[in-house]
Structure formats: structure tokens, C-alpha cells
Amino acid sequence: MVLLARGFYFERIGLMSQNYSSLELNRLEKLRRLRQRGMEPYPTRAERTHTSQQAIQAFESAEASEQSEKVVVTLAGRIRSMRPMGKITFAHIEDGAGRIQLFLRANEIGEEQLEIFNREFDLGDFIQASGEMFRTRTGEITLRVASFRMLAKAITPLPPAKDEVVDGEVIQHATLSETELRYRQRYADLAVNPDVRRIFRIRAATVRALRNFLDERGFLEVETPVLQPIYGGAAARPFITYHNQLKQELYLRISFELYLKRLLVGNLERVYEIGRDFRNEGVDRTHNPEFTQLEFYCAYADYLQVMELTEQMISYTAQQVLGSTTITYGGHTIHLDPPWRRLELRQGILEVTGIDFAQHPTAESLAAAMKAKDIPVDPNATRGKLIDSLLGDYLEPTLIQPTFIYNYPRDISPLAKSMPGDPSMVERFEGYVGGMELCNAFTELNDPLDQEARFLEMGRDYAADDEERHPMDEDYLRAMRYGMPPNGGFGMGIDRLAMLFTDSPNIREVILFPHLRKEE
RNA sequence: GGGCGUGUAGCUCAAUGGCAGAGCAGUGGCCUUUUAAGCCAUUGGUUGAAGGUUCGAGUCCUUCCACGCUCACCA
């Protein structure tokens, strides 16, 4: 039966090989009948005079004016429910603004038209309908359909086929919940899960608010290369690609830092970039191979001023996007208003582990102290890496309320300026919210001779095959030798901020098309 | 990469080693103010893939695939 039908369609419409389900074959048959009955299932143009919300508002104001003027509209949207009841049919369509009910009656549009609607139209189809607005017996503002047509027939049914709207809230009685399907077919996820659409509206508003904040303070938005001959600015393994004509290996950037700071050499005092970084590393709930980063650099600022700017920027953004500086994340109520708690890294680690790393000036000594407390130690780690692991394993999970951890060891911060009086430490902070690292900033190193020494240190301390080893960037040093103003720099993962603002436990929830293994 | 878990109809889920099922959607019918419409009837399956144990496997075993959680890794 199915084979016969399939063969019929290959012949009839020239379909390419495709395993249509029986539900899809049903709809293909409806599509054929529509054409036969003179209704094009994929017309070139659509008309619309009102969105669903505009139509409802227009009707409400007409009602209020007591002149009972007719409100005639043409709506367009996607069928989300159908209730045929003999000679009448109720349906809801959904557009970008919301949902609205349609009412079709045989003695107004004719029995044949009603039959076409009931028989050939399905949930998920995009349609257009015109008529006059009215209020049903139960009070719902509804379009009395005088004419309608198909705008785009849906062959594949949308996943959860049933839900209702109560007081404007969509209540789903069946939900597309399988994570893999939701990510692989994000279009279907978006089409049926309003909460998912909301996440990406919040994400877009977040980026807009960050831009506003920086633009208002005289920052210039710039774009720097994604394809770079030398990667740098972070400790991460890069993606490698190749330019055929130049016969040259190129790296997808792992940060914007070195290019943005070159711009400070060029007298651009305040710059920022919002764009994509790529890191060829593990994927987990807070890491995606490509992610969106905000970096800014501000001449004549130090890390303490950047700290103040950061807490202002995040609370401003929350206020703009969510209308509040109090958010809920993972069951925690988090207050983003400034000032944020400030905790020196040394003090923080001392509090959670009892280890004062200032008492252990060498990796060997610190490793011994950690072993004494049964903390696992990577034998090849530098002192800085050991401190960083204590931070990540013991301190980070405790930092639910916004906290700036500041003053970091020099050897894991090759681009940050040393602290006056303590050459083993640098002026650097990281912002933590919800137990998650959100941002990273420092007083930028602008001494070309010190910078060169740092690159050389990285070369010594990291094994030659360590892909996090920071490569020497001669052009960056050349730029710095022209003179780079003292400046404070800042980097933040936009995806993580979007996670906080949408209470999403997984970074994939805030990325439209997250990376998954290829199918099959 | 390791550990744990999941994978059954379009969707959400059942099924002690013993006939693969339900709700929704779909299809046919009744129904002129419904809204998870209702009522009657009905279609739909390579149980993620391959192999094995067994009289008999959705269920037990092995391998593989995908996803989730977690650990490792990861500024």
C-alpha cells in the first residue's frame, strides 16, 4: 500500500527518493487535491493587514468606541488547532505576535469551502484568512472567516500536536522533549515551544543592551580577523584550516585580544568586538566549540576600573532585558546590583582548601601541600595551573552570588600586567555568577620587553607539544613597541550570560544550532 | 576517553523472557459558538543497528551508533 502510494507520487510529482511516513503521504495527497481543486499550496505572495495582536486590539478599541464599526482584517499564520463541528469549524492560527481564533461557517463561506478547509488543511500549514472580527459566545475575540487560502502546506507534521491557550498562556499537553531532536531540528523546536523562542529573544536583547552600554561610553565597535596566521590571547587548542591560494595554514581565532590591543596602539582608545571564538576542546554544559564573546579594551583604565564597569554593565543589561537586576538561576536567587563581592584569589582558596598558595612559591611546594590534603595533583602542572585547578574545583562552585576573584599568578596570565611589588602575581580578575565563570579581565601588559619575556616563559614552561602553549606573536610585539597606552581589558562569554538570564542549565539551550555528532 | 542512564507508532509513554499496547495526531463517519471539543469506527511498528543465548528476546549477553548526566579534559 505504502509502496504503491510512493510509486504513484514519484511518477506523478517527480519526488526525489525520500522515505515519507504515512502521515506525510496523507498530506502529499491533500496537496495534490488542493491543486486539483484550484488552490495553489505554495503561492508566491501573501497578504496581511494585521498581526493577531493588532487585530484583537483593533476590535477592542472598536468595541470601546461604541460605534460598533466593523473591523475587517486579513491575517496570516500557522494552524495550531482545528475543531471541525459539522457545518462550522473553529481553528487557531499562530503568528509572530501570538494566537488568534478563526471561525468558519458553511452558510457564510459555502459548504465546499468549509469542506476544503476541514479536509485539506492540517496543523502546521501556513494560511491566510480574511473577514470581520467578532466575539464568540464564550467571549473570545475571533475572526469570522469570509475567505481563506493556503500560503504554505506543511508536509511533515509538527511534533507535539496538541496544546491550548488559557489566559494567553500556552499550555502544552504534549511537548517535544527529546533533546537530540530539539537540537538537530531546532526549527521544529522553535515552531512548537514558545519558551525556546523566548530564550533567543532574550539573547538578542542581551547583545543589544551590551552594545548600548558600550556605545554610550564612547566605545567603538570593530571587527577583527577570524582567520589568523597566529592564534593567541587565550590558552586553548585552535581549529586549523588552510588557504589554498596563499598556501598557508590559518587558525580560527580563540580570542580577539591581540588584535583589539593593536588598535589601542593605533590611538583608538576604547574598542570592543562581539563575535565568535572557536576552541577545539571538550564539549560540556558550559562549553561549545564555537561561542560568542564580548571583549573590550579601555585605554587609561586599570582592572579595578574595569571591575566597576563590569558590574554596572551586567546589572544594566539585566535591567534592560529582564526589567530587574534580580535573577533566578538553578534555584538560586541572584542579585546583580553593584557592588559585587570582591575576593582575593589567595584568600578565596585559603578559605575553601586551607592552603595559602603564597606560602608555596614553587610548584613542588604547592603540590606537596595539596597532596597532604588528598587533592589530586597533575605532576606536570606549573604552579599557576595548580592554583587554577584549586580555583576551578573548590572555589568556583561556591561562587553563586556575583563575585570578582582577583589577583592571579603570573604564569597563567601571560598578557596581564604584574602587580607592583609582587612580580609573581598579575592584576587580573574573573567574574563568577551562579557557580560559573562569566568573564575575565586584567590590567593589560603594555611593556613590550616584559611581553616578550612572557612569551619566552610560556615557551619554556609548556611542553613543545602542549597545544595551549602560547605562540610568540612578533607582529604583536612590534605593535607594542610603537607604544600602547596603559589599558584595562575584558572578555565575557555571551552564551553564559544568556544562560544566566534564561535560567538555562546547558549552553546548548542558548545556542540555536549547537554542535552534535553527525547523524548516522 | 571513563562511569551511569536512555533509545518502543508522527509526539508523549506502557509492556515478569510468552500474541508489541495506550493517549494524542492521522483516516472514515455524526455534529452550526467550540477551545486539550465530544461520540462511533479505524489505520499505523525493521522496539537505534548488528550479532549471540533461548522452544521463544522490546526485555538477558556482546559489539557498535546517537543523546543525556557525570568524571577527566577545558582560562
Side-chain angles (χ1 to χ4, degrees):
Chain A
M1 188 63 187
V2 168
L3 284 175
L4 276 176
R6 211 172 281 164
F8 171 77
Y9 277 104
F10 287 156
E11 227 174 285
R12 207 27 217 243
I13 326 183
L15 292 177
M16 307 309 287
S17 170
Q18 162 74 38
N19 291 323
Y20 288 107
S21 70
S22 61
L23 298 187
E24 290 170 325
L25 289 169
N26 259 333
R27 288 173 176 229
L28 285 168
E29 175 60 19
K30 294 180 182 194
L31 187 150
R32 188 188 65 77
R33 285 200 304 258
L34 269 176
R35 283 215 168 94
Q36 204 174 45
R37 301 173 81 156
M39 188 178 285
E40 170 54 41
Y42 300 101
T44 306
R45 268 170 262 285
E47 291 113 41
R48 168 159 84 166
T49 62
H50 293 66
T51 66
S52 56
Q53 292 313 303
Q54 288 166 346
I56 287 167
Q57 281 160 16
F59 180 77
E60 280 172 339
S61 45
E63 258 185 343
S65 75
E66 292 180 11
Q67 291 171 350
S68 68
E69 228 171 80
K70 288 181 176 178
V71 177
V72 176
V73 301
T74 297
L75 304 175
R78 186 167 223 176
I79 302 178
R80 293 311 306 273
S81 68
M82 286 177 80
R83 292 176 296 283
M85 305 174 50
K87 295 292 191 290
I88 63 169
T89 290
F90 287 94
H92 276 92
I93 61 168
E94 183 172 66
D95 63 15
R99 290 191 188 204
I100 192 164
Q101 183 167 256
L102 307 184
F103 175 64
L104 298 89
R105 194 152 66 149
N107 56 5
E108 284 163 3
I109 60 174
E111 294 206 8
E112 191 193 346
Q113 284 293 300
L114 186 65
E115 198 262 348
I116 287 179
F117 189 85
N118 288 345
R119 187 166 151 87
E120 319 296 11
F121 283 46
D122 287 300
L123 300 182
D125 292 350
F126 284 95
I127 69 164
Q128 174 184 320
S130 305
E132 178 190 330
M133 302 300 299
F134 78 112
R135 205 179 268 277
T136 63
R137 193 173 290 170
T138 54
E140 182 165 349
I141 297 172
T142 300
L143 175 66
R144 185 187 304 277
V145 175
S147 65
F148 66 89
R149 65 185 177 117
M150 184 71 76
L151 291 180
K153 181 76 188 162
I155 304 298
T156 305
L158 288 173
K162 205 138 210 189
D163 51 22
E164 64 174 322
V165 179
V166 177
D167 300 330
E169 295 288 306
V170 175
I171 298 174
Q172 298 193 313
H173 297 281
T175 306
L176 176 63
S177 62
E178 195 184 318
T179 318
E180 184 182 354
L181 196 63
R182 287 186 46 232
Y183 295 156
R184 286 199 198 280
Q185 302 188 28
R186 183 67 98 176
Y187 32 87
D189 186 30
L190 286 163
V192 301
N193 288 328
D195 287 348
V196 177
R197 293 198 291 266
R198 180 178 156 272
I199 285 174
F200 291 100
R201 290 206 181 90
I202 288 177
R203 184 179 170 129
T206 301
V207 173
R208 196 181 318 127
L210 291 169
R211 281 204 166 95
N212 285 344
F213 182 89
L214 292 168
D215 290 345
E216 281 170 10
R217 282 159 184 77
F219 282 84
L220 180 71
E221 182 170 10
V222 298
E223 294 177 273
T224 61
V226 170
L227 294 174
Q228 303 181 347
I230 299 175
Y231 61 93
R237 296 164 60 180
F239 285 94
I240 303 172
T241 187
Y242 184 76
H243 190 288
N244 291 337
Q245 201 232 319
L246 298 177
K247 294 185 170 39
Q248 179 185 10
E249 276 201 340
L250 291 168
Y251 303 94
L252 274 63
R253 66 180 172 190
I254 58 173
S255 85
F256 322 152
E257 173 150 2
L258 299 182
Y259 280 95
L260 290 180
K261 281 177 2 196
R262 282 172 169 94
L263 299 177
L264 299 189
V265 173
N267 287 15
L268 298 178
E269 292 188 347
R270 296 182 170 200
V271 295
Y272 75 97
E273 179 165 3
I274 293 174
R276 210 64 65 82
D277 272 342
F278 307 84
R279 297 187 183 176
N280 205 341
E281 288 170 347
V283 177
D284 64 28
R285 56 175 281 272
T286 56
H287 295 83
N288 194 62
E290 58 181 290
F291 61 100
T292 302
Q293 180 96 329
L294 162 67
E295 287 189 29
F296 70 70
Y297 293 85
C298 183
Y300 314 118
D302 66 8
Y303 75 142
L304 296 175
Q305 289 164 285
V306 172
M307 228 182 253
E308 287 178 18
L309 198 58
T310 300
E311 59 195 6
Q312 288 167 20
M313 181 171 70
I314 301 303
S315 59
Y316 165 88
T317 303
Q319 185 66 45
Q320 292 297 305
V321 173
L322 305 170
S324 168
T325 54
T326 300
I327 62 171
T328 300
Y329 186 75
H332 299 286
T333 299
I334 295 174
H335 301 283
L336 296 172
D337 336 61
W340 292 6
R341 177 186 179 210
R342 283 143 166 84
L343 178 63
E344 194 169 11
L345 177 60
R346 173 188 169 190
Q347 185 63 32
I349 288 180
L350 178 61
E351 282 172 14
V352 294
T353 66
I355 296 173
D356 181 0
F357 64 70
Q359 303 293 316
H360 303 282
T362 64
E364 293 70 26
S365 163
L366 182 56
M370 289 167 66
K371 279 179 191 156
K373 293 191 179 292
D374 288 327
I375 295 173
V377 174
D378 172 1
N380 298 318
T382 63
R383 175 171 178 270
K385 280 199 162 188
L386 292 174
I387 292 170
D388 198 39
S389 70
L390 291 174
L391 164 61
D393 294 344
Y394 297 93
L395 187 53
E396 177 170 350
T398 71
L399 304 174
I400 304 299
Q401 295 301 321
T403 305
F404 290 124
I405 301 294
Y406 65 99
N407 293 352
Y408 280 67
R410 169 189 166 110
D411 72 88
I412 55 169
S413 314
L415 304 166
K417 204 160 187 169
S418 296
M419 290 180 63
D422 187 352
S424 73
M425 301 295 286
V426 294
E427 292 196 348
R428 170 180 174 184
F429 75 82
E430 290 182 319
Y432 289 86
V433 182
M436 196 162 56
E437 181 195 338
L438 183 64
C439 59
N440 180 24
F442 26 91
T443 304
E444 302 291 336
L445 179 53
N446 68 335
D447 173 345
L449 304 180
D450 191 1
Q451 183 66 74
E452 184 170 9
R454 301 291 192 89
F455 279 144
L456 291 170
E457 271 174 41
M458 293 299 291
R460 272 201 310 276
D461 294 344
Y462 285 63
D465 61 350
D466 187 333
E467 283 165 295
E468 285 186 23
R469 177 183 170 146
H470 213 295
M472 172 81 77
D473 189 333
E474 296 287 358
D475 179 70
Y476 178 64
L477 290 172
R478 177 169 64 190
M480 200 180 282
R481 285 194 292 267
Y482 278 105
M484 177 186 291
N487 68 93
F490 171 89
M492 175 174 69
I494 300 283
D495 313 87
R496 297 218 180 141
L497 189 60
M499 288 169 68
L500 287 172
F501 285 177
T502 58
D503 197 12
S504 299
N506 194 307
I507 198 169
R508 288 174 163 178
E509 290 294 340
V510 302
I511 292 173
L512 279 169
F513 298 100
H515 287 285
L516 300 175
R517 281 195 178 77
K518 64 180 178 185
E519 290 181 87
E520 293 162 341

